[in-house]
Amino acid sequence: MSEFDFASLHARWSFPTQVWFGAWRLSDLPAGLAEIGATAPLLITDRGLATSSIATQALEIVKAAGMEPGFFHDVQPNPTVENVMAGREILRKGGHDCVIALGGGSAMDAAKAVAMMAGQSRPLMDFEDVGDNFRRVQTEGMVPVIAIPTTAGTGSEFGRSSVITDTQTHRKVIIFHPEMLPELVILDPELTVGLPPTLTAATGMDALSHALEALCAPGWHPMADGLALTALKMIDGALATAYWEPENLEARSNMIVASAMACTALQKGLGAVHALAHPLGARYDAHHGMLNAVLMPHVLRFNLPAVREQMATLAHELRLEGGDPGTAVLAWLEALQARIDMPSTLSEMGVKVNDSDIPDLIADALRDPCAGGNPIRLDAEGVEQILRAAR
């Protein structure tokens, strides 16, 4: 047990942006709006949360402070260009001066993209994270974001990008600008208590994949490595508890913070897990976190020859016993997934990859920006090997 009482613990941090942590911090939303100088917010969430008590409560809190918030919730589980442009239209028509992003990764990504697109004249896909495309953004046309996550997984509330599906090409595209980072994040673990077990598991695996891929990414970034290792230790201690004891506020608190840390660490890089999850999610409209969970053991097995040192460090931190550290970490990962009832193949999660789809999936994975962060250089043969093993 922790020395802290998570029912009453409140904290303020300023890394990597302003963070207000604590149970019931949702009630501080009006103070947050005042902090960023906003008076006409647009609350953006997804279809699943649109009629939830959380969304209703957030709107009522803002109204009680004398403001009239707008409300947009036409956001799919894998948000699309059309979702973003519809949200921008609501923002412009309502004269809103900020966005409140409420929900999981889908709502966060859509909301950040809407806020970035508020005053842009170019189409959204012109800002794909390729080269210096981000310099095309007219920063004076962006509005600030307050992010309030209701899951512990994507950590998108600490991200400077959004993953948006281009329905014309069936690609998931990363839209990036440094100022897409929300100005304020409210981490309220109480908002995750009602998360169904399956989503607790899948979003938790998303956070784990961010930390693991960041740790394994090539390059020297000790700060990111430290965040990733700590996040992995916290997830190891909290995810199964949050799954089996959904009202355990300590576990929920550790998961929502670990998710944030893992997302901050991923600026070091991601790899084949995300390079494959993006095209799979775009083509089959499957849950991103669950895709990551299925792909992770197969990618780790593929990458083990290149990450021996990282696996030795991680095995030591997790106090894993046995011979080869890489084998021990792989066994730990598969055991944790089994404890939270995660599927082990794509077909088990309902994703049927046809042989005819494989060439396009390989091509999309290889041109995904995350492919460059894999510790072993990816080629068509390697991607196909991983994909067929996970199928």
Side-chain angles (χ1 to χ4, degrees):
M1 293 294 291
S2 169
E3 62 182 291
F4 299 108
D5 177 8
F6 286 94
S8 60
L9 176 64
H10 282 191
R12 285 198 182 204
W13 307 320
S14 56
F15 173 79
T17 187
Q18 291 298 315
V19 183
W20 296 357
F21 168 84
W24 313 111
R25 291 304 292 264
L26 180 63
S27 62
D28 292 333
L29 182 51
L33 290 165
E35 182 115 340
I36 68 169
T39 58
L42 172 64
L43 190 148
I44 296 181
T45 191
D46 57 51
R47 295 169 182 172
L49 275 178
T51 59
S52 69
S53 60
I54 294 174
T56 300
Q57 185 181 5
L59 289 168
E60 289 176 349
I61 287 170
V62 175
K63 289 177 181 177
M67 289 172 271
E68 285 297 327
F71 189 38
F72 177 72
H73 52 79
D74 190 14
V75 176
Q76 296 171 214
N78 289 297
T80 65
V81 173
E82 292 79 10
N83 295 157
V84 174
M85 300 315 291
R88 183 180 76 165
E89 184 69 14
I90 297 295
L91 184 139
R92 286 180 168 181
K93 284 185 175 180
H96 299 291
D97 60 1
C98 83
V99 167
I100 300 169
L102 178 72
S106 303
M108 292 289 159
D109 280 2
K112 290 191 300 180
V114 168
M116 188 272 284
M117 287 296 292
Q120 308 306 318
S121 56
R122 287 176 173 268
L124 179 62
M125 289 296 107
D126 276 8
F127 306 116
E128 181 178 0
D129 187 19
V130 176
D132 287 342
N133 282 352
F134 74 93
R135 298 189 186 279
R136 296 171 170 175
V137 174
Q138 297 172 306
T139 54
E140 66 276 8
M142 300 174 69
V143 300
V145 175
I146 294 179
I148 310 171
T150 61
T151 67
T154 69
S156 183
E157 62 274 13
F158 288 98
R160 300 169 296 167
S161 62
S162 293
V163 180
I164 305 297
T165 298
D166 183 343
T167 54
Q168 301 302 310
T169 62
H170 301 289
R171 292 176 57 224
K172 277 195 170 185
V173 175
I174 298 174
I175 305 298
F176 166 82
H177 192 276
E179 293 185 27
M180 288 177 72
L181 180 68
E183 288 200 19
L184 172 65
V185 176
I186 298 176
L187 292 180
D188 184 342
E190 187 66 37
L191 300 181
T192 68
V193 166
L195 199 65
T198 299
L199 281 178
T200 296
T203 55
M205 279 290 120
D206 194 14
L208 194 155
S209 72
H210 292 160
L212 186 61
E213 286 214 290
L215 181 66
C216 293
W220 191 68
H221 199 323
M223 290 184 288
D225 289 343
L227 287 167
L229 281 169
T230 302
L232 287 163
K233 289 170 64 177
M234 292 173 72
I235 292 168
D236 177 48
L239 179 52
T241 302
Y243 179 79
W244 290 105
E245 302 173 28
E247 296 189 4
N248 187 310
L249 202 56
E250 180 178 343
R252 293 292 191 179
S253 296
N254 280 318
M255 282 305 303
I256 203 169
V257 174
S259 170
M261 294 169 67
C263 181
T264 306
L266 67 77
Q267 63 184 270
K268 181 188 174 193
L270 293 170
V273 173
H274 282 76
L276 264 168
H278 288 154
L280 285 165
R283 183 170 292 270
Y284 301 104
D285 199 24
H287 190 277
H288 177 70
M290 196 170 290
L291 285 170
N292 287 347
V294 168
L295 291 165
M296 228 183 321
H298 304 287
V299 170
L300 180 58
R301 192 175 286 111
F302 176 84
N303 283 333
L304 277 180
V307 294
R308 297 293 183 188
E309 183 177 345
Q310 295 95 318
M311 292 303 98
T313 301
L314 180 56
H316 174 76
E317 291 295 326
L318 296 177
R319 300 182 180 180
L320 303 179
E321 297 180 354
D324 177 65
T327 303
V329 170
L330 185 57
W332 162 79
L333 175 61
E334 292 177 328
L336 177 58
Q337 291 186 336
R339 288 170 65 195
I340 57 175
D341 303 318
M342 280 285 95
S344 57
T345 64
L346 294 170
S347 58
E348 281 181 33
M349 64 173 286
V351 174
K352 308 297 183 183
V353 178
N354 301 315
D355 285 343
S356 59
D357 292 337
I358 289 179
D360 285 343
L361 289 168
I362 291 172
D364 286 345
L366 288 175
R367 69 174 175 175
D368 190 280
C370 297
N374 202 65
I376 290 180
R377 184 179 176 83
L378 290 176
D379 56 20
E381 182 181 355
V383 173
E384 183 170 3
Q385 177 185 328
I386 295 167
L387 187 56
R388 289 191 179 276
R391 197 165 60 153

